[in-house]
Amino acid sequence: VLACVKEAEAAILKEEQTKAYLPIPGHPTYGEEIRHLLLGESGEAVATMQTPGGTGALRVVADFLAEFRPGSAMWMPNPTWPNHPQVFSRTGLTCESYPYLDESQTQLDRQGFLDALAALPPEQFVLLHGCCHNPSGVDLTEEDWVAAAELLARGRHLPVVDIAYQGYGQGIEEDAAGIRILAEKVEELFVCNSFSKIFSLYRERVGGLTFMAKDPSVVETVTSRLKRCVRTHYSNPPAHGGAVVTKILSTPALRADWLEDLSAMRDRIRAARVSLTQALRKSTGTDRFDILAQHQGMFSLMGLSQDQVEQLREEHAIYLVSN
Ligand code: PMP
């Protein structure tokens, strides 16, 4: 548990006056803090719902889209977090995939990715990972984001960005670059964010669903539909985790402590990547695994076959996930 979390919790315990329900969209200050982290000082019309984790946000947006356009497809990268297809298909949306990695499974297939976006039928729902792609660790550069955003805008597609690791890649601001590029170029945008990892608040279920539109009246209409989805799922969000995050983000000293902890977590992941890469260089005599040091966030694909993973397991007691 981060020290800033303990401190915020102690203050909340002392100050808390009520256990009344939160409003359906959650605490308004929490929403403002999320919008600020994701979009900076954007002038667009935006609304945020406080959700039980990033998964809650994904489920609410899935529900909304399935009701709004039943039977539609959600396009997601191949590979993606295994829960993505499960969440979206449960609501009746169909799951389609677009290419993301090249043959090595360790790098972006830039052309394949952009060609697939260019070839989509108009007005599709498209899921993108904001940063620290799970499971590959392969992220888009700013140039890739600009190219993707232009194609999404041209096809009048609706991007849904999932961001669960903001700050684990390059930094809080840097990791939001893709979202901000999209926000500038497309008419409407959903972002599902999770604070589970970056505040180490996993079990408190802290996340958010943010909707941005160039037309403020659309934000109002969509918010009212989202509220109906929430009302029939969990009625209103759990308060504690959101209160902790709000306390930290809105108290300058706690915010500074958190940013320091976040940098420490990011540096530790980087250091582990670099030392693993160096060790693999030494023991294999090749630079084949150098790519691990370039990947972002908690996950990487190494381009190993299932047989190789099994061999590592059986013969060397080195345990990797088989996919
Ligand atoms: N999206 C991605 C890509 C994730 O990796 C995760 C967590 N593993 C989530 C969303 C959901 O996080 P939460 O625990 O906040 O629901």
Side-chain angles (χ1 to χ4, degrees), residues 38-240:
L38 297 177
L39 295 164
E41 298 295 343
S42 149
E44 308 294 349
V46 183
T48 301
M49 321 282 293
Q50 179 173 345
T51 57
T55 309
L58 287 161
R59 182 57 200 254
V60 171
V61 73
D63 226 50
F64 165 74
L65 295 175
E67 188 187 21
F68 168 62
R69 253 183 28 199
S72 304
M74 175 58 78
W75 292 85
M76 46 191 80
N78 178 23
T80 194
W81 182 44
N83 211 23
H84 281 150
Q86 300 192 135
V87 168
F88 287 105
S89 60
R90 264 191 112 73
T91 64
L93 293 172
T94 52
C95 295
E96 300 283 352
S97 63
Y98 56 80
Y100 192 69
L101 300 178
D102 70 9
E103 254 173 39
S104 72
Q105 292 287 295
T106 61
Q107 297 185 80
L108 183 70
D109 173 6
R110 184 173 198 273
Q111 205 52 50
F113 165 61
L114 294 175
D115 286 350
L117 291 190
L120 292 177
E123 301 190 344
Q124 298 296 295
F125 305 145
V126 182
L127 179 76
L128 297 130
H129 294 229
C131 67
C132 304
H133 181 273
N134 178 1
S136 74
V138 174
D139 278 355
L140 302 179
T141 63
E142 282 198 32
E143 204 186 355
D144 299 331
W145 276 109
V146 170
E150 278 166 5
L151 291 169
L152 291 165
R154 196 180 308 158
R156 299 188 309 281
H157 304 305
L158 176 67
V160 178
V161 179
D162 182 15
I163 184 158
Y165 305 96
Q166 186 181 359
Y168 272 19
Q170 301 287 322
I172 279 285
E173 298 299 315
E174 295 87 338
D175 292 353
I179 290 172
R180 295 177 191 182
I181 289 166
L182 285 176
E184 225 172 77
K185 297 209 182 282
V186 300
E187 283 296 307
E188 290 165 15
L189 168 71
F190 277 105
V191 183
C192 303
N193 81 284
S194 164
F195 287 135
S196 301
K197 285 89 188 181
I198 64 173
F199 280 86
S200 197
L201 275 171
Y202 301 82
R203 64 170 63 170
E204 300 297 351
R205 311 310 297 134
V206 267
L209 173 61
T210 296
F211 177 67
M212 181 226 78
K214 300 270 192 260
D215 176 353
S217 71
V218 176
V219 175
E220 218 172 286
T221 310
V222 168
T223 305
S224 116
R225 305 300 292 221
L226 293 174
K227 281 198 222 165
R228 278 192 6 173
C229 296
V230 168
R231 184 80 180 116
T232 54
H233 264 312
Y234 52 86
S235 196
N236 50 75
H240 181 72

Side-chain angles (χ1 to χ4, degrees), residues 104-106 276 280 288-289 292 295 300-304 320:
S104 72
Q105 292 287 295
T106 61
L276 178 61
L280 286 169
R288 174 175 167 193
F289 297 109
L292 293 175
H295 289 164
S300 270
L301 292 182
M302 298 179 77
L304 301 181
L320 304 185

